[in-house]
């Protein structure tokens, strides 16, 4: 009998949910996601990762070409030296050896459509919502950012201009003039850190 009541209550909730205006549904959903994110951080922070473990893992990858970074460090745990454990390694082993580092610099979390509706023009100084490593690379003095409102990229290294200068000329964020396509042309790789 209890399972019948649960099914009935679930159906009743679903019915009333669709009566709620979309803007309120969106706010309720964001509250749920924020609460879940806080819970997830609490779980992951129980793990401690040393700088030596980061270096060992990066050495095993043996990255020799240009790299696009997409990261979520909180998914890994409590990292000694935080993002610096990764950025120091990448700077020493890639940038200093003439390779290029790209980092995704999407300005928003959530709906690209809503973001595009809220702006009149995309500027290079737009916020970066892609986490601490992306923000670190964005703040480097020689960093260049592509002009794309939904999927911009930060580039550092000798080919930084090649990667970002034409991104705004593409019809979509990922076609021939995009940093993503050019990374393929250069036999680069995507480095997913905790993502």
């Amino acid at each position: 009998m209890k399972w019948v009541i649960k099914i009935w209550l679930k159906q009743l909730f679903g019915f009333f949910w669709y009566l709620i205006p979309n803007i309120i549904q969106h706010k309720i959903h964001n509250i749920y996601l924020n609460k879940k994110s806080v819970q997830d951080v609490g779980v992951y922070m129980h793990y401690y990762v040393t700088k030596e473990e980061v270096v060992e893992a990066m050495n095993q990858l043996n990255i020799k070409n240009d790299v696009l970074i997409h990261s979520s460090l909180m998914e890994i745990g409590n990292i000694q030296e935080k993002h610096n454990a990764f950025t120091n390694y990448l700077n020493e082993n890639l940038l200093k050896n003439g390779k290029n580092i790209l980092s995704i610099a999407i300005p928003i979390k959530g709906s690209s459509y809503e973001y595009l509706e809220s702006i009149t023009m995309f500027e290079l100084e737009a916020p970066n919502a892609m986490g601490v490593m992306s923000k670190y690379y964005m703040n480097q003095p020689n960093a260049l950012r592509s002009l794309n409102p939904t999927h911009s990229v930060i580039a550092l290294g000798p080919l930084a201009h090649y990667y970002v200068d034409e991104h705004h000329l593409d019809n979509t964020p990922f076609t021939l003039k995009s940093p993503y396509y050019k990374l393929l042309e250069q036999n680069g790789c995507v480095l997913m850190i905790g993502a």
Side-chain angles (χ1 to χ4, degrees), residues 73 79-89 132-133 136:
L73 297 184
I79 304 167
Q80 181 185 15
E81 294 190 20
K82 310 295 181 210
H83 69 281
N84 292 324
F86 289 99
T87 54
N88 290 343
Y89 181 92
V132 67
M133 282 186 67
Y136 164 83

Side-chain angles (χ1 to χ4, degrees), residues 66-86:
D66 295 351
V67 65
L68 171 72
I69 300 164
H70 184 47
S71 64
S72 178
L73 297 184
M74 75 174 201
E75 300 293 336
I76 296 173
N78 187 5
I79 304 167
Q80 181 185 15
E81 294 190 20
K82 310 295 181 210
H83 69 281
N84 292 324
F86 289 99

Side-chain angles (χ1 to χ4, degrees), residues 22-183:
N22 284 344
I23 191 162
I24 296 173
Q25 284 183 9
H26 186 70
K27 288 186 180 196
I28 292 170
H29 184 67
N30 282 344
I31 290 169
Y32 166 76
L33 289 179
N34 288 339
K35 184 177 178 184
K36 186 174 180 338
S37 178
V38 168
Q39 290 171 343
D40 289 348
V41 169
V43 170
Y44 289 116
M45 286 302 127
H46 290 296
Y47 300 102
Y48 184 76
V49 181
T50 66
K51 177 185 172 185
E52 290 75 21
E53 290 173 314
V54 168
V55 170
E56 182 182 336
M58 295 297 287
N59 282 336
Q60 288 178 14
L61 293 174
N62 196 26
I63 300 169
K64 298 293 184 193
N65 295 341
D66 295 351
V67 65
L68 171 72
I69 300 164
H70 184 47
S71 64
S72 178
L73 297 184
M74 75 174 201
E75 300 293 336
I76 296 173
N78 187 5
I79 304 167
Q80 181 185 15
E81 294 190 20
K82 310 295 181 210
H83 69 281
N84 292 324
F86 289 99
T87 54
N88 290 343
Y89 181 92
L90 293 167
N91 294 347
E92 285 292 319
N93 292 280
L94 294 178
L95 282 182
K96 286 193 176 176
N97 290 316
K99 299 301 177 192
N100 300 274
I101 294 177
L102 287 74
S103 185
I104 299 171
I106 298 173
I108 44 95
K109 288 184 179 178
S111 167
S112 295
Y113 176 78
E114 288 177 8
Y115 172 71
L116 291 173
E117 286 287 309
S118 72
I119 63 171
T120 55
M121 180 189 322
F122 178 73
E123 298 178 0
L124 291 174
E125 295 79 25
N128 181 352
M130 293 310 295
V132 67
M133 282 186 67
S134 186
K135 289 177 183 172
Y136 164 83
Y137 282 116
M138 186 173 170
N139 289 323
Q140 296 307 298
N142 52 347
L144 301 175
R145 186 178 190 179
S146 69
L147 271 173
N148 184 283
T150 59
H151 291 83
S152 65
V153 168
I154 305 293
L156 295 95
L159 294 179
H161 282 284
Y162 160 78
Y163 279 113
V164 301
D165 282 355
E166 299 179 313
H167 198 186
H168 62 287
L169 301 175
D170 257 348
N171 290 330
T172 76
F174 306 106
T175 45
L176 300 178
K177 294 181 187 225
S178 74
Y180 304 97
Y181 189 87
K182 290 177 178 181
L183 187 70

